[in-house]
Amino acid sequence: MIRTPPNPQPIAFRHCREYTADLAPVLESLLEPLGGMAAFVKSGQTVILKPNLLSDRHPDQAITTHPALVQAVIRLVRRQGGIPRIADSPAAAVKLERVWEKTGMKALAETEQVDLINLEQAGSVRFDDAEGSFTIAKPILEADVLINIPKVKTHVFMTLTGAVKNLYGTIPGYQKTHLHKQHPDPFSFARLLARIHDRIPPAVTILDGIVGMEGNGPSGGTPRAWGFLAAGRDAFQLDAFLCALLKIPLGSVPYLFKDRLPSPSCSSVDAFDIRGDTPRLDPRPCQIPPSFLLRFIPRFLVKLVAPYFWLRPAIAASTCIRCLQCVAACPMQALTTADRQVPTLTPSRCIGCCCCHEVCPVKAISMERSPLLRMIRRKRNP
Ligand code: SF4
Ligand code: SF4
């Protein structure tokens, strides 16, 4: 289907260096050029707040959306008379109650008296289209408003996780794992992300870029104090803005299809209608996962070159605590273990999706590149 390029949407931007006890005033000034929270929430509406709760990690690890930002969103939604609820489905192998506790969401929900929705047990609706099927958790579909609150991170499989990728957490539990299996290559997975987005386009996305992650994100990278919040109505344009801001090549993010963006010149910050502060970030380049080079291989060549360009997990036996979360998370059963020993990989099964890497609680998994990919990387970055 040929799409008409979307109209450019304003992007709100504010520098914000730390998670203060009350971020509501900063958030209010961020949203003001977009019409404030009143532009998105009306009195009596149910509002799902969708943070990134990838795994059971402390907010300081910069893997999950910080509770201070979610708290600020709750307060502004309430001021409009909306009824906020927090919902996300973390990586499939991780226990939800542990995630709520470690990420600070349980304490936040108690303080603010909001519901934490278990998307695994709330039922789902199946969508079928020409490219296959997927399901979305019912509470997301039944809410009046969806507010997307992602963490800004690099991502070994998609290069970037921001506004669009965060919506993958609306797919309940292990269905996410099955979808990875059905969409093993990044282009097909990127199409899936776009289809999910189109079923539940958020009213607004508020990016947690105060402290994000670079390197081998979304969980094995290094926290990076970017020092900003940004917001916008269009998830694709917001992610394209992130690419320009962090100097991530637009073409390395497979879901940023050209027809989702207003113009090809989106690769520069100046191309965006920015409202608020003029972005001034630490000029050190963002560490992009080495796998981003794979995203430049034309789709028709992917299968042909797969034996030479691959990305696979390598497990550091001395770090591994044998929790076996990686085994449970792998959609291809490429990781196996006997007697709870360190898991071993069957390389021919691995699709390089990084699900194992995402769930490992102790960073025992690194994603290794094939010799050819390492060589190209060295040439580009000696
Ligand atoms: S081993 Fe890891 S990267 Fe390979 S398919 Fe399984 S989860 Fe994905
Ligand atoms: S590699 Fe990580 S996730 Fe897998 S068993 Fe070891 S500690 Fe657990």
Side-chain angles (χ1 to χ4, degrees):
M1 186 179 74
I2 298 179
R3 303 171 63 93
T4 320
N7 292 325
Q9 293 288 329
I11 286 171
F13 184 90
R14 285 274 173 222
H15 293 116
C16 181
R17 308 283 174 209
E18 55 183 333
Y19 297 103
T20 51
D22 186 6
L23 276 178
V26 186
L27 183 62
E28 202 169 12
S29 81
L30 174 79
L31 296 181
E32 199 244 305
L34 303 179
M37 190 58 90
F40 309 109
V41 176
K42 304 280 174 276
S43 182
Q45 287 186 317
T46 53
V47 184
I48 291 282
L49 312 186
K50 164 66 181 79
N52 180 336
L53 303 182
L54 174 70
S55 199
D56 51 346
R57 312 297 169 82
H58 190 273
D60 289 351
Q61 290 178 270
I63 291 168
T64 51
T65 305
H66 201 285
L69 178 58
V70 181
Q71 183 173 46
V73 181
I74 291 171
R75 290 181 177 174
L76 294 201
V77 167
R78 283 232 170 95
R79 255 186 242 167
Q80 295 308 316
I83 305 153
R85 291 176 175 157
I86 303 169
D88 189 22
S89 174
V94 190
K95 284 217 163 55
L96 189 58
E97 289 72 19
R98 261 186 71 83
V99 172
W100 287 343
E101 190 149 350
K102 291 279 271 193
T103 56
M105 291 299 148
K106 186 169 177 230
L108 173 64
E110 283 165 6
T111 309
E112 294 292 330
Q113 294 289 295
V114 292
D115 290 337
L116 276 169
I117 312 273
N118 183 337
L119 294 185
E120 261 95 275
Q121 292 175 358
S124 58
V125 175
R126 180 181 158 131
F127 294 97
D128 293 287
D129 59 28
E131 295 179 57
S133 62
F134 57 87
T135 58
I136 293 178
K138 266 189 186 162
I140 304 286
L141 297 160
E142 289 169 354
D144 296 313
V145 180
L146 173 62
I147 297 184
N148 192 22
I149 321 176
K151 190 79 165 169
V152 177
K153 297 185 289 181
T154 48
H155 194 283
V156 181
F157 193 47
M158 289 286 108
T159 309
L160 173 76
T161 171
V164 177
K165 173 72 176 62
N166 194 43
L167 298 174
Y168 197 55
T170 61
I171 309 273
Y174 275 97
Q175 292 178 45
K176 288 194 286 295
T177 312
H178 295 309
L179 284 169
H180 265 296
K181 191 172 181 173
Q182 284 166 21
H183 301 276
D185 77 78
F187 299 102
S188 164
F189 190 74
R191 281 283 323 139
L192 172 67
L193 291 180
R195 286 156 58 214
I196 293 168
H197 165 274
D198 292 349
R199 294 288 176 181
I200 46 164
V204 63
T205 294
I206 300 164
L207 292 169
D208 177 1
I210 298 178
V211 181
M213 178 172 279
E214 63 179 355
N216 289 326
S219 60
T222 313
R224 171 88 183 253
W226 303 115
F228 72 88
L229 293 172
R233 292 174 185 271
D234 186 299
F236 291 91
Q237 291 183 38
L238 205 48
D239 281 353
F241 167 72
L242 272 183
C243 284
L245 188 70
L246 306 181
K247 302 198 170 38
I248 295 173
L250 204 58
S252 70
V253 182
Y255 61 78
L256 289 178
F257 302 103
K258 287 198 176 88
D259 62 359
R260 297 279 175 165
L261 303 176
S263 85
S265 62
C266 278
S267 51
S268 147
V269 169
D270 299 335
F272 294 87
D273 175 9
I274 300 169
R275 313 274 177 95
D277 295 341
T278 303
R280 275 187 239 290
L281 297 194
D282 165 3
R284 281 178 303 135
C286 166
Q287 295 299 312
I288 307 170
S291 51
F292 87 96
L293 289 169
L294 282 171
R295 311 299 163 242
F296 289 104
I297 298 172
R299 187 170 189 178
F300 69 94
L301 281 179
V302 166
K303 275 207 173 127
L304 217 61
V305 302
Y308 312 103
F309 293 93
W310 46 254
L311 194 66
R312 289 175 193 154
I315 299 180
S318 56
T319 313
C320 174
I321 55 170
R322 301 172 198 178
C323 67
L324 308 189
Q325 288 191 38
C326 55
V327 176
C330 177
M332 306 304 289
Q333 289 82 48
L335 289 167
T336 48
T337 181
D339 301 328
R340 292 194 76 86
Q341 292 304 305
V342 176
T344 51
L345 177 76
T346 307
S348 58
R349 289 188 167 198
C350 179
I351 56 172
C353 66
C354 310
C355 291
C356 52
H357 175 260
E358 283 180 13
V359 298
C360 179
V362 290
K363 293 190 183 180
I365 299 180
S366 55
M367 294 306 288
E368 281 213 324
R369 288 160 284 150
S370 65
L372 208 52
L373 203 55
R374 281 204 299 272
M375 210 169 76
I376 296 173
R377 174 72 171 174
R378 268 201 300 273
K379 282 202 162 169
R380 282 181 64 113
N381 211 357

